[in-house]
Structure formats: structure tokens, C-alpha cells
Amino acid sequence: MNVLVAYDVATESAGGRRRLRKVAQACKNFGQRVQKSVFECVLSEMQFEELVRCLVEIIDEKEDSLRVYRLVEPKEKYVQVFGVDTSVDFDEPLVL
Amino acid sequence: MHQLLNTLYLTTEGAYLRLDHDTLRVEVERETKLQVPIHHLGGIVCFGDVLVSPAALARCAQDGRFVVFLDRNGRFQARVEGPISGNVLLRCAQHAAMGSVDKTLSIARNVVAGKIQNSRQIVLRAARESDQSDDGDALRQTAEALANVLGRVPLSPDLEHLRGLEGEAARKYFATFDRMVREDRAVFALNGRNRRPPTDPVNALLSFLYALLMNDCVAALEGVGLDPQMGYLHALRPGRAALALDLMEELRSVFADRLALTLINRKQVAASQFHARPGGAVHLEDAARKEVIVAYQKRKQEEITHPVLDQKMPLGLVPHVQARLLARVLRGDLNAYPPFLFR
């Protein structure tokens, strides 16, 4: 499934900045960054549960905000992208 | 049915692949070129001077993702494997079948039959598409000759005879391979199949595609828990993945030959991209190699209907399905091995 993760993490404190780094890393493990705090992930059901559990564990529910959207597939049909786009389609041939 | 996972191909000299948490990062001259979550990948294929960090290797081995090192021309060098997994009982059955003359011959016969039938399909299709009547006639003759050999396969008394039939079919098939080339025939002429090293562009292209397919076949067998070295049609030899070669026979024409012809006929590879080396070897240049890999990956994503399972799937899953069918034969759940017949 295609999932979009967006977050706001309060970074006034050192703890907040640490949470921000952790959230970003967790998202990177499952997908790719498409904007500063927006990630797109292609996941199986199990990986989806794992990602959500992992993120909820990191954030401070009093200060931070996390949104996970399930995207309608196929993505090419329902997602429009304008402007700078550096994202890579992980299903396309990966040759470097 | 498992999902067809992507393969990461690294062809850039000096690329460095490292593990970064649950992702793999490819750096070229210290600049990150690509970062992929590891769950998207079934394996990694490295060409030439590519570095892989020990942590990345360990992680892939542990997860059962294959890491293969090839030289710049696609020749196999090494494979990194994790602890032997899979099913001991299945491997026992696989070894036991080796001792049974009937079972060995029955599997080998079906493998050869699949191979001949699929190459015949390629020839017939080229004959239909050909706009020169003499090409069409020659190809139809080849198809007929192949059908004749195919008819003798079930009667072959032993492996030696069967290998002879396979050789005969291969010679007939490659004798008119040229007739399927529509562009630049002078350059893309084939004087029979040759390898180690390939001495003309078509052979170079075929060898390269076979190397890619070989990796997928080994990975498919390992994924099912079979020992890729214990084969039936191909003689056992240390270091030779005989079973993977067996599995590959029926897939060669579908995965590689047809694709090589398409690449030439659509001018996706040009004569200028092949370079002759001293000693007669012909090599593909970097840009063309990338083009070929991309085309191969795209080919694997094409949807087909598997004739035995009657199920839609990407072509790339076929080696995995065939490995599974083979496992069922070895276990005795299935009487005869059904080769993959294209169309």
C-alpha cells in the first residue's frame, strides 16, 4: 500500500530535536522524503503496522503531531506533483 | 505467492553501498546518489569495482537478500550467502532424485522439451513478423526442425542422448537466429553461439542477459530452499549451479533471446556501443549495459498468465513459480515437472 506520513515535532527542547531526528529516521527506514516533514512509503500491511507503532512510540503525544494517510492506488493516477521533485520510484529499475 | 522484489544494479565504478539503519545508501565520490529502504530489494547485483560495506553485506546475508558480484562484462565472480536455510527434507528429496534414473531423466526431458518449445515460439513469432519472405520461410523451416527434435525428446533413452538432442535443437535454432534480426544485419550477424569470451555483438548481448537471468534463477531456487548446484540435466561440477542452469533452459528464449532481438530491432542498442578487444572479445559499453539492465527489469515486470497455475503474475516471478513446481515434483506431490511454456 502507498502511505503518506506527515509530522510536526516540537523542537524547542533538546528532547524535541532528538524526537524529530528519530521520527525522520524511522520514516526513512520505510520510505522516502518528498518534502521536509513529509514521507511517502510503499509498504505491506505488516510493515505499515510496524511503521505506525514505531512512530507513535517516538513522538510525545502532548506536543507533537503525526498524520498518516493511506493513498488511493495507483499513485500515478491520483497524486499530482508540481515543482521540484527528487523522489525515486522504488519499483522502477534501479540501476546506478 | 510472494511479491516480486526489485533488484538494485550497481554499475558505477567506485560506488559505495552502505547500510544506514534499515536503508541502503549508494554513494559515489562521497555523494549520496540513492537511498532505498531495504524492504524494497530482493537482492543486489554489483558490476566491476563496486564496494559494499561489511554491515550491508551482513544485513543482506541475514535477511536472505542475495548479493552478487559480477565483473564488468557480467561474468560471475562471487555471491554472498547467509546461513543455509530452507528445508533439509526438501534438499534430501532433491539429492535422492539424483539417484533415481527415472526421476532424473523425466525432469531433464521436460526441461529440454520446455526449452525447445519456447525457442520454437520465438522463431515462429519472428517468422510472422518478418517482412522478407525468404526469412519467413527459413524461420518456418527451423520451427519445423525444432518440432521434429521436440517429438524425439520423450523417446530419449538416457541423459547423454537427451543432451545430444538439446545440442541439435540449439544448433538449428542459432543457425537462423540472424534471420530474426531486422536492423543492421551486417553488424548483428551471429556465427553460431560463442562465449568465454563472446566474439560478436549478438553473442556479447546474449551472454550478458544470460548472466542476469542466471542470478534470478539461483535466487529463485534458494528462495524455495533448493540447492542450486544439484542439477539433473547439467552435469555436476564444483562451483557450477547446475540446477539453476536447468531451470534457466526453458526461460532463456523468453527472458533473454527475445529481449536481445527487441533491443536490436528497436535500435535501443547500436553497433557503436560494442567494442572489440584484443584477442577477439566483444564488450558492451557502460551506457548500453545500463540500457540492457533497465530493459531486462522492465521485461520482468510485464504481466503474463502462468499456463499451469492459470494466474496473472509479472514475468519476473516465473523462475520462483517454476522452482516451487520443481520442489513439488521432487517431493512427489506432482508426477512430472511442468516447464514454463510461453503463450
Side-chain angles (χ1 to χ4, degrees):
Chain A
M1 63 174 90
N2 274 296
V3 170
L4 187 127
V5 181
Y7 53 79
D8 264 338
V9 177
T11 51
E12 283 84 45
S13 64
R17 286 190 288 276
R18 191 165 68 239
R19 287 202 304 281
L20 180 70
R21 279 198 305 277
K22 280 188 160 177
V23 168
Q25 184 59 55
C27 291
K28 262 195 207 167
N29 287 343
F30 289 91
Q32 64 180 324
R33 184 170 242 142
V34 289
Q35 282 184 1
K36 287 222 170 73
S37 46
V38 178
F39 279 80
E40 282 179 13
C41 310
V42 183
L43 306 164
S44 66
E45 311 268 325
M46 233 170 76
Q47 286 159 345
F48 173 72
E49 296 296 332
E50 217 178 301
L51 171 66
V52 172
R53 183 184 50 79
C54 179
L55 289 174
V56 170
E57 240 167 53
I58 299 168
I59 60 165
D60 178 342
E61 290 187 39
K62 287 191 202 72
E63 289 190 70
D64 310 335
S65 150
L66 172 72
R67 281 167 178 264
V68 181
Y69 299 85
R70 176 97 188 256
L71 301 178
V72 183
E73 287 171 65
K75 201 177 102 190
E76 307 78 59
K77 199 167 155 196
Y78 295 107
V79 177
Q80 294 186 46
V81 181
F82 306 97
V84 181
D85 179 23
T86 52
S87 70
V88 180
D89 185 344
F90 293 133
D91 291 327
E92 284 291 298
L94 296 172
V95 185
L96 205 83
Chain B
M1 186 87 286
H2 75 270
Q3 207 195 335
L4 177 62
L5 291 173
N6 211 339
T7 306
L8 173 62
Y9 292 89
L10 295 173
T11 64
T12 310
E13 295 275 301
Y16 184 44
L17 181 78
R18 58 200 303 172
L19 185 68
D20 176 357
H21 298 84
D22 287 334
T23 69
L24 288 174
R25 200 162 75 214
V26 187
E27 292 176 3
V28 179
E29 281 160 11
R30 305 222 164 171
E31 198 188 321
T32 301
K33 293 285 183 188
L34 181 71
Q35 187 164 12
V36 197
I38 207 164
H39 73 250
H40 282 288
L41 300 176
I44 298 147
V45 177
C46 308
F47 291 86
D49 292 328
V50 170
L51 298 166
V52 181
S53 83
L57 274 182
R59 175 64 187 272
C60 289
Q62 190 191 338
D63 293 0
R65 296 175 212 279
F66 63 89
V67 182
V68 178
F69 294 88
L70 306 177
D71 74 4
R72 285 168 52 73
N73 307 305
R75 192 103 155 257
F76 177 79
Q77 287 187 311
R79 171 190 320 281
V80 179
E81 251 175 75
I84 291 191
S85 61
N87 190 330
V88 197
L89 300 177
L90 175 60
R91 277 200 303 280
C92 279
Q94 188 188 352
H95 288 233
M98 191 80 208
S100 151
V101 180
D102 288 351
K103 208 155 193 177
T104 302
L105 189 59
S106 141
I107 294 171
R109 266 191 200 140
N110 288 5
V111 164
V112 173
K115 172 181 180 164
I116 300 177
Q117 173 63 9
N118 283 338
S119 33
R120 193 170 157 264
Q121 286 299 330
I122 301 289
V123 171
L124 281 174
R125 184 167 152 192
R128 277 199 303 278
E129 287 172 355
S130 161
D131 38 17
Q132 305 282 331
S133 66
D134 56 331
D135 285 350
D137 292 343
L139 289 172
R140 268 183 285 273
Q141 257 176 31
T142 303
E144 217 166 284
L146 289 176
N148 176 286
V149 183
L150 185 60
R152 295 190 331 248
V153 167
L155 308 172
S156 62
D158 53 42
L159 274 181
E160 275 314 303
H161 186 261
L162 183 64
R163 288 180 189 137
L165 288 181
E166 190 208 350
E168 189 185 334
R171 269 193 308 281
K172 290 195 163 125
Y173 172 68
F174 281 113
T176 54
F177 197 84
D178 281 357
R179 305 257 187 187
M180 298 195 270
V181 175
R182 272 182 274 125
E183 293 294 331
D184 227 343
R185 278 211 177 156
V187 178
F188 294 112
L190 184 97
N191 289 319
R193 173 87 183 111
N194 60 56
R195 61 211 180 95
R196 292 184 187 187
T199 56
D200 59 62
V202 178
N203 271 304
L205 192 53
L206 286 176
S207 287
F208 187 70
L209 284 167
Y210 290 159
L212 299 181
L213 176 58
M214 181 69 185
N215 293 324
D216 286 337
C217 287
V218 173
L221 292 169
E222 270 169 4
V224 174
L226 288 166
D227 176 351
Q229 296 203 337
M230 189 79 180
Y232 301 102
L233 175 65
H234 288 83
L236 304 189
R237 202 183 285 166
R240 178 201 242 183
L243 190 64
L245 288 167
D246 288 359
L247 177 62
M248 205 167 126
E249 289 303 347
E250 68 207 62
L251 306 174
R252 277 176 202 266
S253 58
V254 183
F255 279 74
D257 300 359
R258 186 67 233 168
L259 185 60
L261 289 167
T262 307
L263 284 166
I264 295 169
N265 290 342
R266 286 198 191 141
K267 298 186 184 172
Q268 280 171 278
V269 292
S272 59
Q273 290 176 309
F274 294 87
H275 301 293
R277 295 276 164 85
V282 170
H283 288 174
L284 252 170
E285 71 178 31
D286 287 8
R289 268 211 318 268
K290 270 188 203 172
E291 182 92 29
V292 174
I293 296 171
V294 169
Y296 178 74
Q297 287 290 93
K298 287 240 157 100
R299 174 94 173 119
K300 283 199 289 183
Q301 284 176 350
E302 282 171 27
E303 282 253 314
I304 53 115
T305 303
H306 193 284
V308 177
L309 305 188
D310 195 23
Q311 203 179 86
K312 274 196 176 175
M313 62 181 68
L315 188 62
L317 265 191
V318 168
H320 297 266
V321 172
Q322 293 306 117
R324 221 164 269 195
L325 290 171
L326 187 61
R328 298 186 61 178
V329 176
L330 294 169
R331 283 195 165 122
D333 299 342
L334 205 63
N335 282 329
Y337 171 66
F340 173 69
L341 299 178
F342 192 56
R343 255 169 233 165

